[in-house]
Each structure stands twice: as C-alpha cells, then as structure tokens.
Amino acid sequence: DPRIGCAWSLSPGKKRKSKMTVGFIALEIQENIAWIKDNFDFPLLENEQFHHLTVAFKPSDELIQELTPKIGTAYTLKVTGYYSDNDINVLSIEDIPGLPIQNIHPHVTVSCAPGIKPVHSNDVLREHGTLPTCDNLTLTGKLYFQNWN
C-alpha cells in the first residue's frame, strides 16, 4: 500500500531506509459512496472518486516534516455545499483549523464523467464560487501521504 505513516520506508529485504517521494498529502474519506446516496439526489457519474481531500500536491520537505507527526489523525470535514453537472460532482469543504490545505477551495471530488479528470473540480469551484449550503453534513478524513517511487 503506497499510503504510509511517514515519508520514509524500508525496502523489502534491506536494512537501510530509502527516501520516497511524497506525491501528495491527503485526507482519506472514511465514509463510503452510500453516504452520498443517502444525503444527495444528484446522479453519480461513471468514475466514482469519493476517496480523499487533497491537502497538498507535491508538498515541500518542510510541510512533510510538519505533518508527519499527524499521520493517521482523523479530522472532521464540514460540507459547505456541492456542485453537480454532466461532467463532475464535487463537495465543497470548510477550511480545517490546524491543517494547511493548499487548494484555494477545499473539496472532495465525488464522481466524474469519462474523459473528465478529478482535477476539474478546482476549475468548477473557481468558476462557480459559493455552492448551495448542505445543512450539518460532515465527513471524517484521516491524514496520509501518497508516495511516488
């Protein structure tokens, strides 16, 4: 599993540590897609993505060092709204105190149409701004690092 609890890992069969490149830092969503179906009436698109909120893409060494002690910590994510069209479904999330989320608009991509990449959520939120409010909906996300070899 490339999600690990630190920025270093042991290579199989070796006693020395080898540095891994952290591709992104994220919060792994603990709820499953049934949560979406229970709380929203928009149709899910073909490519379901409901698995993480990106904290930092290609994080700096300083940010990795800062967040390493927080790996596995659970955070409450307050859903502030949603956007849905024929290309993408996305939930907007309130800023999380104590967690330096680098996206201007924190969000969880729920699903997208074939040929649409999840990163399109950033464009949608930038273009459409404030989304309809979702009353008292929260998710739980656990902090992890995604490594690239």
Side-chain angles (χ1 to χ4, degrees), residues 54-69:
T54 301
V55 174
F57 184 74
K58 296 183 180 177
S60 67
D61 289 341
E62 293 79 17
L63 185 59
I64 292 167
Q65 186 174 18
E66 176 188 340
L67 293 181
T68 294

Side-chain angles (χ1 to χ4, degrees), residues 35 39-40 78-81 132-138:
W35 184 92
N39 289 288
F40 294 91
K78 184 177 186 302
V79 178
T80 58
T133 301
C134 301
D135 296 327
N136 300 317
L137 292 179
T138 61

Side-chain angles (χ1 to χ4, degrees), residues 29-62:
I29 303 302
Q30 301 302 293
E31 291 76 8
N32 63 33
I33 201 71
W35 184 92
I36 291 292
K37 294 173 184 173
D38 290 343
N39 289 288
F40 294 91
D41 60 3
F42 54 73
L44 292 174
L45 302 168
E46 187 173 327
N47 299 318
E48 294 179 4
Q49 301 289 318
F50 187 63
H51 45 71
H52 77 276
L53 178 149
T54 301
V55 174
F57 184 74
K58 296 183 180 177
S60 67
D61 289 341
E62 293 79 17

Side-chain angles (χ1 to χ4, degrees), residues 29 35-36 39-40 42 50 52-53 77-84 88-94 105-111 121 125 131-132 134 137-139:
I29 303 302
W35 184 92
I36 291 292
N39 289 288
F40 294 91
F42 54 73
F50 187 63
H52 77 276
L53 178 149
L77 287 64
K78 184 177 186 302
V79 178
T80 58
Y82 71 95
Y83 179 86
S84 178
I88 202 154
N89 298 319
V90 59
L91 301 179
S92 59
I93 304 294
E94 186 173 86
H105 303 286
H107 66 276
V108 175
T109 302
V110 175
S111 63
S121 293
L125 293 173
L131 305 170
C134 301
L137 292 179
T138 61
L139 296 166

